[in-house]
Amino acid sequence: MKISTLHHVQLAMPKGGEDAARAFYGGLLGLSEASKPPILAARGGVWFERGEVRVHLGVEQDFRPARKAHPAFQVQGVADLLAHLAAKGVAVTRDDNLPGFIRGYVKDPFGNRIELLEPAPAG
């Protein structure tokens, strides 16, 4: 028995945040909304995916954002994405502390930390 892959990342959001999640994860990050099974859809929240990347946002009653724990999405053209997000008013924190990667952090509309990174060109 062994773990073979990561199926999804679950993040929390406050009740009623679905439209803000759609604007950020769908509109700004370019993920597609995925259907939730009816029994789970009744609980609120929203799911997104693109290829093998899956992000599930679930409603948490006493919501507090994840400020340290976070998903890290590998991106082709991360510098362009970070510039695009900054131009749309998203606060971007660039970071060069991980050798071999270009990366930055943003917060989703709920304050959850999201890392965006890309391997740096060789040389």
Side-chain angles (χ1 to χ4, degrees):
M1 183 170 78
K2 65 180 180 177
I3 295 173
S4 61
T5 191
L6 180 65
H7 183 271
H8 70 272
V9 170
Q10 172 84 33
L11 296 172
M13 64 179 229
K15 183 176 180 176
E18 288 83 0
D19 287 342
R22 288 179 181 105
F24 181 79
Y25 289 94
L28 294 177
L29 295 186
L31 301 175
S32 298
E33 187 169 346
S35 298
K36 293 178 66 172
I39 194 165
L40 297 178
R43 299 178 187 173
V46 62
W47 291 0
F48 297 94
E49 61 185 32
R50 183 170 185 181
E52 295 296 314
V53 175
R54 295 181 194 94
V55 181
H56 295 178
L57 285 108
V59 172
E60 188 169 37
Q61 290 304 325
D62 294 323
F63 171 76
R64 281 180 281 169
R67 293 189 175 115
K68 183 68 174 174
H70 63 276
F73 299 124
Q74 188 165 316
V75 176
Q76 292 178 352
V78 72
D80 291 339
L81 177 57
L82 293 171
H84 171 74
L85 293 171
K88 294 293 185 178
V90 176
V92 171
T93 303
R94 295 181 186 271
D95 182 296
D96 61 359
N97 293 321
L98 183 60
F101 287 89
I102 302 164
R103 71 179 184 163
Y105 296 93
V106 297
K107 292 180 182 171
D108 74 5
F110 318 113
N112 293 313
R113 183 180 187 187
I114 308 293
E115 180 176 348
L116 304 165
L117 75 157
E118 177 178 31

